[in-house]
């Protein structure tokens, strides 16, 4: 792992933001999920993405990762299209998306972080194994390295995924609800890890449900199909914005979309 | 009768016995070899099929190669190459069609599989009925196999396929592992997961064609799924799972063929039954997950819990002198009195109680253990009360949780080391 930098948010020479999303529209089964989303995240920031269920938070992450076709707009990671920036991006999925019965040890899961570097036919070398050990050490999972993954608690599962992202040596980390299903103490420990990554210069974009800890992020993206607000928590986290975020006034647009898709009411 | 003659006769007996058992296998060694290799290959691929929950797709491809095989049969008659090309094409068409139906309709994958493979199979059956007079295509053989009809040509095609399958799996082991465990991560890393999926499907189609003669499509599906499911029951490592599954596939084929000759049964189904019996054994006897191991573990825990309850009850008797002379069995209802008797015997053997009349008494070691239990019980009651549990549930819940007493110290610290439980009973402290 890179040496930790003592100054928070060290200035970067590269001018390109870690993530730049412009006019992004994404649909699922012809139903727009995200509309005209504009977001720019400077490198080294710790950003929370909040919003109600179905607001398109996971969709945003998946679109950035190039997993979904986009209708309109542009996404650039470190100034490049995602296809040319994959080496620098790591995805940390929700822990309940994984098959914890799979015959695999903790160390093997983390080693998967090296697979992109290995390509289709490569074999892990000593250097890869060393990175895996270092990543396990950083997240405090060394003692569990050779256990089967089923024996882990929710917090430990999350640590393993974080270690895998570390082993990827990515500059931008996209995390989907890393706090889901863990208790308050584990949440604090995981947040501390993320904070350390961020201080070491990595950019973290975190889908998050806990409104209590928003002030500990550098920026908050309030997303409900459209960007409701985006900026430092002190500026955007307000009762008014939260009401707009969770109150939902999108139904008119949804109605209109449906009418355009299926024909207006008098035609139906 | 001289001893020498007796010896010679029994030796002759032994030889006939050996001949009777083994000679069919020796006569059919080519067929045996083919079946074993095919069983092993299906076992190997089956590892990925089972882990990726694609057993149904395996089933579909097995059936759906029929039209491909028939068309090839029509066009190039008996050539093995033609059969393979036809089957591969049909396999890929099936895999692609399943993805397309899933994507462009509301049908989920299982329904899509059902639609596609039955349609392919129907086309195949109709094509068979349209075969020109004089040609003979044996549908029964396609479905159930006929290992005795295996010829040198089949062996050659297996010799061609086996290295390709094994080599591809070895070469792509890591990407295939990633695809099976976390396909989304594989895509974010830029791996072409569709390509990897179709590589597996192509290997599968080729192996199923090779397996047609020895086990037939229906049995091929069993050989694809059962040995792999057995191996999954037994191991926690992927490479070991694949190794065990491959070995079991080959072994089931060999043993199945042997038994088929002994009992004059069709070989394909015998292979499948052998694989099934091995699976059932693994289900029952697997070291961690087998239901025998689970049942034994439960029993051990139950006995342990009862022993702890006896200790605690004896400590309660000591705490409340007015209860002296009370009966353990009555105090521990509804526990079985005989089980209590056994628990007391075990405790006496471990030096935790001394047998007494009518009830045993605690030794000093036993008393210390009992205090631990009481402490855990009262700490849990305090904790549960604090969490807002209704008072009438406190005791029963604590009665269950107290047996996890390794948590007691942490619980005590979290609660701020309370002196008494909600009923005002003193919470014992460990000495020193």
């Amino acid at each position: 792992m890179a040496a930790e930098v003592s100054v928070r948010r060290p200035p970067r020479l590269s001018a390109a933001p870690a993530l730049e999303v412009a006019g992004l529209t994404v649909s699922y089964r012809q139903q727009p999920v995200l509309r005209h989303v504009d977001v720019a995240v400077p490198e080294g920031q710790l950003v929370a993405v909040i919003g109600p269920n179905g607001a398109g938070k996971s969709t945003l992450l998946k679109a950035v990762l190039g997993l979904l076709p986009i209708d309109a707009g542009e996404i650039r990671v470190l100034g490049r299209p995602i296809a040319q920036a994959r080496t620098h991006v790591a995805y940390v999925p929700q822990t309940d998306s994984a098959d914890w019965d799979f015959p695999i040890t903790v160390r093997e899961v983390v080693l998967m972080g090296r697979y992109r570097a290995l390509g289709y036919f490569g074999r892990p070398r000593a250097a890869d194994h060393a990175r895996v050990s270092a990543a396990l050490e950083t997240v405090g999972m060394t003692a569990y390295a050779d256990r089967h993954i089923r024996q882990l608690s929710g917090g430990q599962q999350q640590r393993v995924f974080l270690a895998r992202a570390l082993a990827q040596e990515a500059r931008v980390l996209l995390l989907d609800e890393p706090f889901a299903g863990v208790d308050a103490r584990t949440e604090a420990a995981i947040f501390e890890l993320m904070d350390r990554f961020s201080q070491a210069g990595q950019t973290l974009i975190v889908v998050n449900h806990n409104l209590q800890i928003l002030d500990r992020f550098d920026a908050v993206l309030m997303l409900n199909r459209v960007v409701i607000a985006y900026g430092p928590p002190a500026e955007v986290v307000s009762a008014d914005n939260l009401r707009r975020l969770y109150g939902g006034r999108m139904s008119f647009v949804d109605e209109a979309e449906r009418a355009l898709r299926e024909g207006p009411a008098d035609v139906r | 009768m001289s001893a020498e003659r007796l010896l010679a006769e029994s030796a002759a007996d032994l030889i006939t016995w050996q001949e009777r058992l083994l000679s069919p296998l020796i006569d059919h060694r080519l067929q045996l070899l083919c079946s074993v290799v095919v069983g092993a290959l299906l076992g190997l691929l089956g590892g990925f099929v089972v882990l990726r929950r694609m057993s149904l797709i395996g089933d579909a491809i097995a059936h759906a190669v029929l039209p491909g095989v028939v068309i090839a049969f029509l066009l190039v008659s008996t050539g093995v190459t033609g059969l393979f090309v036809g089957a591969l094409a049909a396999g890929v068409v099936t895999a692609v069609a399943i993805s397309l139906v899933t994507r462009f309709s509301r049908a989920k994958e299982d329904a899509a599989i059902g639609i596609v493979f039955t349609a392919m199979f129907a086309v195949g059956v109709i094509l068979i009925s349209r075969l020109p007079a004089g040609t003979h295509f044996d549908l029964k053989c396609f479905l159930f196999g006929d290992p005795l009809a295996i010829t040198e040509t089949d062996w050659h095609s297996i010799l061609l396929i086996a290295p390709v399958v094994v080599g591809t799996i070895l070469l792509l082991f890591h990407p295939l592992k990633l695809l099976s465990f976390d396909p989304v991560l594989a895509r974010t890393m830029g791996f072409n997961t569709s390509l990897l999926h179709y590589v597996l499907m192509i290997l599968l189609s080729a192996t199923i064609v090779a397996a047609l003669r020895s086990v037939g499509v229906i049995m091929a599906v069993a050989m694809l799924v059962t040995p792999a499911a057995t191996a999954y029951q037994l191991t926690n490592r992927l490479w070991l799972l694949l190794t065990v599954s491959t070995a079991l596939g080959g072994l089931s084929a060999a043993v199945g063929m042997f038994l088929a000759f002994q009992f004059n049964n069709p070989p394909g189904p015998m292979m499948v039954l052998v694989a099934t019996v091995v699976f059932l054994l693994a289900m029952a006897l697997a070291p961690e997950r087998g239901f025998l191991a689970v049942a034994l573990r439960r029993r051990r825990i139950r006995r342990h819990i009862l022993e702890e309850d006896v200790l605690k009850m004896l400590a309660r008797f000591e705490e409340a002198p007015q209860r002296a002379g009370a009966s353990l069995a009555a105090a521990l209802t509804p526990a079985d009195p005989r089980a209590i008797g056994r628990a007391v015997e075990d405790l006496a053997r471990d030096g935790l109680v001394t047998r007494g009349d009518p009830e045993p008494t605690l030794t000093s070691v036993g008393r210390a253990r009992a205090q631990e239990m009481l402490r855990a019980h009262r700490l849990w009651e305090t904790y549960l009360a604090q969490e807002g549990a209704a008072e009438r549930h406190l005791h029963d819940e604590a009665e269950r949780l107290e047996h996890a007493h390794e948590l007691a110290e942490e619980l005590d610290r979290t609660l701020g080391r309370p002196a008494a439980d909600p009923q005002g009973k003193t919470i014992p402290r460990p000495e020193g």
Side-chain angles (χ1 to χ4, degrees):
Chain A
M1 212 188 124
E4 286 191 12
V5 186
S6 54
V7 185
R8 194 159 168 83
R9 317 290 163 241
R12 288 261 160 188
L13 289 178
S14 66
L19 172 66
E20 197 169 17
V21 174
L24 177 69
T25 299
V26 181
S27 303
Y28 179 70
R29 294 191 184 250
Q30 290 159 14
Q31 170 89 28
V33 181
L34 292 174
R35 261 184 251 274
H36 313 297
V37 171
D38 297 309
V39 176
V41 179
E43 214 173 331
Q45 287 225 315
L46 180 54
V47 179
V49 182
I50 62 168
N53 287 330
K57 304 184 296 287
S58 295
T59 304
L60 177 63
L61 292 196
K62 285 185 176 147
V64 170
L65 287 160
L67 297 178
L68 296 175
I70 63 177
D71 294 353
E74 202 186 11
I75 302 172
R76 295 183 92 78
V77 177
L78 299 163
R80 278 167 286 182
I82 179 65
Q84 294 159 35
R86 290 203 180 283
T87 315
H88 305 297
V89 181
Y91 175 51
V92 181
Q94 295 189 27
T95 48
D96 60 7
S97 71
D99 175 8
W100 297 99
D101 257 337
F102 198 85
I104 196 171
T105 62
V106 167
R107 187 187 296 280
E108 288 177 292
V109 172
V110 179
L111 183 61
M112 286 182 167
R114 304 298 310 154
Y115 279 16
R116 173 165 171 82
L118 297 179
Y120 283 91
F121 308 113
R123 292 276 175 273
R125 294 160 184 279
D128 297 307
H129 289 292
R131 285 200 177 105
V132 168
S133 299
L136 282 166
E137 189 66 45
T138 306
V139 302
M141 287 295 288
T142 304
Y144 298 84
D146 296 311
R147 294 218 192 159
H148 183 259
I149 53 172
R150 199 186 31 251
Q151 298 162 358
L152 304 178
S153 69
Q156 289 168 337
Q157 293 176 346
Q158 198 60 58
R159 284 165 189 269
V160 172
F161 276 180
L162 284 173
R164 185 172 70 183
L166 265 190
Q168 280 182 258
E169 300 187 308
R171 282 157 70 183
V172 180
L173 268 58
L174 304 173
L175 301 93
D176 201 351
E177 299 201 23
F179 305 130
V182 302
D183 60 38
R185 205 177 47 176
T186 311
E187 181 182 293
I190 291 172
F191 188 88
E192 197 173 311
L193 273 174
M194 299 190 330
D195 202 37
R196 266 171 70 189
F197 295 176
S198 150
Q199 299 209 22
Q202 288 177 307
T203 309
L204 287 90
I205 297 166
V206 185
V207 171
N208 169 31
H209 270 303
N210 187 347
L211 304 182
Q212 256 86 63
I213 55 171
L214 288 182
D215 54 346
R216 300 182 57 188
F217 286 85
D218 296 317
V220 175
L221 171 63
M222 295 182 160
L223 189 71
N224 190 358
R225 308 283 192 89
V226 297
V227 175
I228 304 283
Y230 173 53
E235 289 171 26
V236 298
V237 181
S238 64
D240 192 38
N241 275 344
L242 286 173
R243 196 163 42 245
R244 285 206 303 149
L245 181 62
Y246 291 99
R249 265 306 299 265
M250 288 304 295
S251 52
F252 278 129
V253 187
D254 279 341
E255 277 293 305
E257 288 286 353
R258 204 179 65 151
L260 292 174
R261 203 168 54 244
E262 296 171 5
D266 46 354
V267 178
R268 256 180 275 148
Chain B
M1 207 194 296
S2 78
E4 275 160 38
R5 220 177 112 199
L6 195 70
L7 207 65
E9 263 181 20
S10 56
D13 272 356
L14 196 66
I15 289 169
T16 36
W17 186 77
Q18 257 179 0
E19 263 179 9
R20 204 164 52 83
L21 279 187
L22 297 179
S23 69
L25 287 184
I26 293 167
D27 290 348
H28 295 100
R29 56 188 178 280
L30 181 72
Q31 289 77 3
L32 178 71
L33 202 58
C34 283
S35 303
V36 168
V37 175
V38 159
L41 290 180
L42 286 171
L44 175 62
L45 289 169
F48 289 106
V49 167
V50 165
L51 286 175
R52 297 186 61 215
R53 300 170 195 203
M54 289 189 345
S55 307
L56 272 177
I57 295 194
D59 191 10
I61 287 188
H63 284 83
V65 296
L66 180 62
V69 171
V70 178
I71 291 174
F73 190 76
L74 267 176
L75 294 181
V76 290
S77 188
T78 49
V80 171
T81 332
L83 285 187
F84 273 107
V85 173
L88 287 189
V92 173
V93 166
T94 311
V96 173
I98 290 170
S99 331
L100 290 180
V101 172
T102 316
R103 193 153 152 202
F104 292 108
S105 80
R106 287 174 83 172
K108 304 287 181 282
E109 195 178 40
D110 58 334
I113 291 170
I115 293 166
V116 172
F117 95 77
T118 46
M120 295 284 284
F121 196 68
V123 170
V125 174
I126 289 174
L127 283 176
I128 290 178
S129 72
R130 291 305 192 91
L131 283 176
T135 49
H136 174 69
F137 186 94
D138 190 349
L139 183 61
K140 199 173 147 230
C141 171
F142 176 85
L143 288 176
F144 301 108
D146 183 6
L148 301 185
I150 289 174
T151 62
E152 288 275 333
T153 335
D154 295 301
W155 174 236
H156 290 151
S157 62
I158 287 172
L159 273 185
L160 197 74
I161 283 181
V164 173
V165 171
V166 176
T168 312
I169 299 277
L170 285 178
L171 205 61
L172 291 174
F173 178 74
H174 288 287
L176 287 175
K177 183 175 172 181
L178 178 62
L179 172 77
S180 309
F181 178 61
D182 195 340
V184 174
L185 184 75
R187 284 173 66 200
T188 67
M189 287 181 162
F191 285 100
N192 188 335
T193 50
S194 309
L195 186 71
L196 287 169
H197 174 74
Y198 289 127
V199 165
L200 269 184
M201 292 301 103
I202 287 173
L203 295 181
L204 190 56
S205 309
T207 309
I208 282 172
V209 178
L212 279 186
R213 280 225 211 250
S214 45
V215 288
V217 287
I218 294 178
M219 302 300 157
V221 175
M223 298 303 279
L224 188 67
V225 175
T226 312
T230 310
Y232 191 19
Q233 191 76 7
L234 297 174
T235 165
N236 275 335
R237 303 296 298 272
L238 179 60
W239 64 267
L240 196 58
L241 185 151
L242 295 176
T243 313
V244 171
S245 177
T246 308
L248 282 178
L251 202 70
S252 307
V255 175
M257 198 131 176
F258 174 77
L259 292 178
F261 285 129
Q262 288 314 303
F263 301 107
N264 203 17
N265 284 340
M270 283 310 278
M271 295 175 197
V272 172
L273 284 186
V274 170
T276 311
V277 168
V278 177
F279 173 76
L280 290 176
L281 285 176
M283 206 168 101
L285 304 175
E288 269 172 67
R289 265 157 285 185
F291 56 68
L292 205 67
V294 171
L296 282 176
R297 191 162 55 232
R298 285 221 185 103
R299 201 175 99 114
R300 219 167 38 236
I301 293 173
R302 228 175 20 238
R303 290 180 85 157
H304 179 73
I305 285 179
L306 184 61
E307 286 179 26
E308 290 190 340
D309 285 342
V310 168
L311 284 179
K312 201 184 55 183
M313 197 49 75
L314 290 175
R316 287 231 166 97
F317 287 177
E318 285 185 356
E319 253 184 13
Q322 70 275 16
R323 285 167 79 174
S327 130
L328 255 187
L332 288 172
T333 346
D336 176 10
R338 272 170 310 173
I340 295 175
R342 270 199 305 275
V344 170
E345 266 169 46
D346 286 348
L347 288 168
R349 204 184 46 232
D350 295 342
L352 296 172
V353 302
T354 35
R355 281 198 203 82
D357 195 34
E359 297 300 352
T361 50
L362 291 167
T363 65
S364 58
V365 186
R367 192 166 296 116
R369 279 283 299 281
Q371 291 297 318
E372 259 176 63
M373 298 304 306
L374 276 179
R375 168 173 143 84
H377 180 91
R378 287 171 189 169
L379 282 169
W380 275 115
E381 279 199 357
T382 314
Y383 175 78
L384 292 169
Q386 216 176 64
E387 293 282 291
E391 198 169 324
R392 65 203 148 87
H393 296 311
L394 284 185
H395 181 77
D396 290 346
E397 193 67 6
E399 201 60 25
R400 209 166 55 78
L401 294 171
E402 68 188 12
H403 298 287
H405 38 77
E406 67 265 25
L407 288 174
E409 178 50 33
E410 209 180 326
L411 202 56
D412 195 17
R413 193 155 22 88
T414 316
L415 290 169
R417 309 212 178 275
D421 74 0
Q423 284 98 35
K425 290 187 186 143
T426 313
I427 296 175
R429 302 253 156 250
E431 322 244 321

